[in-house]
Amino acid sequence: MSEIFHGFELLLLRRFQLNPELWYEWRDKILDKVGEKGGSRLDELEDLGEMPQSLWFLSVTIHRRQRYLIQLMREEAEREREKRLPKCGETLLSRYLSSHGFSELYLDSMFKYGDDNRLPREYNSLDSLPSDIGRMQKLEYLALTNNKLQVRSIPHTLVFCRSLHTLLLDNNLLDALPGFLLQMPSIRTVHRHGNHNYFKSTFMWYHTDVYYRIIPVMGYPSPPIPFKEQTLQFWAAKAIIGSKKDFFSDIAIAPVLKDYIADIYPLFNVCHNCNRATLGNTFGYKVITFKNPYLGNTCVPFQHWACSIDCAKALEIPARIEQIAAAQELDRQYEEYVLECHRKFYTTNRSRVLSCRSGSPEGGAPQNPREVQLKRAAVATQTVGVVPEDATRRGCECVVS
């Protein structure tokens, strides 16, 4: 059975990491209450006293994942009693993830729980995915529906999740799928409904020339990096980001550098063609391509980022050639399908049916069923659409169909 890692758990552990005093306060409070009852669960949340609204994700975790939370708290308390120091680069979140074989990450409607409308407004949607998503090597199922994600807010580190096979992106702010998804052969299902009317506006580029699909962009607003902060570590991290190397699993990269790279990763755009990363506020190119078909869909648009016009052409021109070839192949398959349907139709309709719209020849009484059967048998071998000679002579409207 697959283990699910929920968004409220991610929020809770990140908050505890940023505020260790808060972690120790609630760890001691919860362990004291559990110890008083001599069990492994809290029967009533009220036993902990008043909980601030800003810690709503702690309340949700206690309701839904109490066993995992208490297990983590006990392990951490025991580790401190034995004075075992954490490994370099190890965090509370990483220890929690390593304790359970999580293969599914649910971040859909991430910051909503039930019908509680009292949640703070800033917790109502997810507008970016952390680059740390690439740490989850065993991730198979990722739900990101009902958020405010754009293409540039989904990091390239998602390609490091080599076991990922299902990605749900419904009801976000996407106008295409991220181009790096084409580099993930493990993906079998991508849901994208409800994104800017199902990418309708992006399909305007389907029949356009190459230069219309390469769109210059000035970069998104972000504070410039002061020169004094552009240290050797900064330049080393920039080079690793541009190389698209899976730095999370590379043992040659120090853990402290991995954390630093993950922290500054959102500052960069990664070229989908060459091994170059540039700061997000610098000039570049947005490239639209189409995959036809893609995972059972007739045609799907993808958005790439390129650092130069040459890289943009290197992405768009081969993709356009492939798109045209795929469209021609689909046309050929469709023509074969139509011809096959025609063949099957004529093969199964060799026994012709005779019908008479005038009721009876020469205005007489309607023919009885026996006469109709005999007339059908008489013309069964005639060509389709030919009217019998005797029917024409009598002014009858009999036809073979």
Side-chain angles (χ1 to χ4, degrees):
M1 182 177 179
S2 59
E3 288 285 352
I4 299 173
F5 183 50
H6 294 276
F8 53 82
E9 296 173 273
L10 174 63
L11 286 176
L12 177 64
L13 293 171
R14 290 297 294 266
R15 175 66 68 85
F16 281 156
Q17 284 183 184
L18 295 174
N19 193 339
E21 294 79 10
L22 190 67
W23 158 251
Y24 290 121
E25 174 190 350
W26 285 98
R27 186 192 71 177
D28 295 342
K29 185 181 294 187
I30 290 175
L31 291 182
D32 287 345
K33 292 297 180 181
V34 172
E36 288 177 6
K37 295 179 178 294
S40 60
R41 292 188 59 84
L42 289 170
D43 295 332
E44 297 292 341
L45 193 60
E46 288 74 12
D47 293 343
L48 297 175
E50 184 177 357
M51 184 177 297
Q53 185 178 345
S54 60
L55 288 178
W56 62 268
F57 34 80
L58 173 59
S59 173
V60 177
T61 304
I62 292 175
H63 275 297
R64 298 182 58 180
R65 302 304 287 267
Q66 186 178 140
R67 180 171 62 87
Y68 283 9
L69 179 60
I70 293 177
Q71 176 185 339
L72 175 67
M73 290 178 169
R74 284 178 167 164
E75 290 174 353
E76 290 298 301
E78 182 180 358
R79 183 179 60 82
E80 291 179 7
R81 284 194 299 270
E82 297 176 357
K83 298 182 179 181
R84 287 185 283 114
L85 297 177
K87 298 179 181 178
C88 182
E90 195 177 49
T91 64
L92 190 65
L93 175 60
S94 65
R95 288 194 291 274
Y96 184 77
L97 291 175
S98 62
S99 298
H100 309 283
F102 292 117
S103 60
E104 299 186 14
L105 176 56
Y106 282 25
L107 299 179
D108 52 328
S109 303
M110 180 177 175
F111 306 109
K112 295 183 179 180
Y113 180 61
D115 298 322
D116 188 355
N117 295 321
R118 298 170 298 171
L119 299 182
R121 185 176 181 85
E122 63 269 21
Y123 295 129
N124 281 342
S125 62
L126 182 69
D127 56 12
S128 64
L129 191 64
S131 57
D132 295 273
I133 188 70
R135 297 179 186 269
M136 303 188 70
Q137 303 289 326
K138 298 180 181 179
L139 183 65
E140 299 177 0
Y141 184 102
L142 178 57
L144 296 169
T145 56
N146 301 318
N147 286 298
K148 294 183 179 179
L149 295 173
Q150 302 180 50
V151 172
R152 65 178 177 85
S153 60
I154 302 178
H156 196 278
T157 55
L158 189 63
V159 301
F160 303 156
C161 302
R162 294 182 176 85
S163 300
L164 184 65
H165 59 72
T166 301
L167 178 61
L168 308 186
L169 291 169
D170 306 88
N171 299 321
N172 278 281
L173 301 179
L174 303 172
D175 47 17
L177 290 181
F180 56 75
L181 293 184
L182 296 172
Q183 305 170 20
M184 302 178 66
S186 62
I187 289 187
R188 301 194 300 267
T189 302
V190 176
H191 290 183
R192 64 192 198 283
H193 299 275
N195 283 280
H196 287 180
N197 197 12
Y198 204 66
F199 302 159
K200 185 176 181 179
S201 61
T202 310
F203 277 99
M204 65 181 290
W205 284 291
Y206 183 80
H207 295 291
T208 57
D209 187 69
V210 54
Y211 292 102
Y212 289 99
R213 299 187 184 188
I214 298 177
I215 307 164
V217 291
M218 296 304 298
Y220 54 88
S222 63
I225 305 298
F227 182 77
K228 64 179 181 179
E229 295 185 14
Q230 297 183 19
T231 60
L232 181 60
Q233 185 183 42
F234 173 86
W235 292 107
K238 178 177 180 293
I240 293 174
I241 292 173
S243 70
K244 309 180 186 72
K245 176 192 285 283
D246 183 0
F247 55 89
F248 289 122
S249 60
D250 192 336
I251 59 175
I253 300 177
V256 64
L257 183 57
K258 293 179 182 180
D259 294 336
Y260 177 73
I261 296 173
D263 289 339
I264 69 171
Y265 203 98
L267 299 176
F268 294 92
N269 283 325
V270 180
C271 182
H272 289 194
N273 181 62
C274 71
N275 294 331
R276 185 184 178 194
T278 58
L279 289 172
N281 58 359
T282 56
F283 183 83
Y285 295 87
K286 181 170 69 173
V287 183
I288 303 296
T289 64
F290 294 87
K291 187 70 174 178
N292 186 14
Y294 178 70
L295 300 180
N297 296 276
T298 304
C299 186
V300 178
F302 288 86
Q303 180 178 315
H304 312 259
W305 192 87
C307 63
S308 66
I309 187 64
D310 291 334
C311 285
K313 290 180 179 179
L315 288 168
E316 202 285 331
I317 293 176
R320 183 177 178 83
I321 294 174
E322 181 183 347
Q323 171 199 329
I324 294 174
Q328 291 173 344
E329 174 62 18
L330 288 177
D331 289 343
R332 185 191 64 79
Q333 293 178 6
Y334 179 72
E335 290 177 359
E336 286 189 355
Y337 172 75
V338 172
L339 291 174
E340 181 64 22
C341 289
H342 277 279
R343 285 193 293 267
K344 289 182 178 180
F345 176 79
Y346 289 123
T347 301
T348 57
N349 288 274
R350 288 179 178 175
S351 297
R352 311 304 178 192
V353 177
L354 177 67
S355 61
C356 182
R357 293 190 296 269
S358 61
S360 62
E362 300 179 358
Q367 301 179 29
N368 60 49
R370 178 60 178 167
E371 291 176 346
V372 173
Q373 291 179 359
L374 292 174
K375 189 169 293 186
R376 287 177 177 173
V379 298
T381 58
Q382 296 194 37
T383 307
V384 175
V386 177
V387 179
E389 182 180 353
D390 58 338
T392 304
R393 184 174 59 253
R394 296 193 305 269
C396 182
E397 297 183 11
C398 295
V399 294
V400 179
S401 59

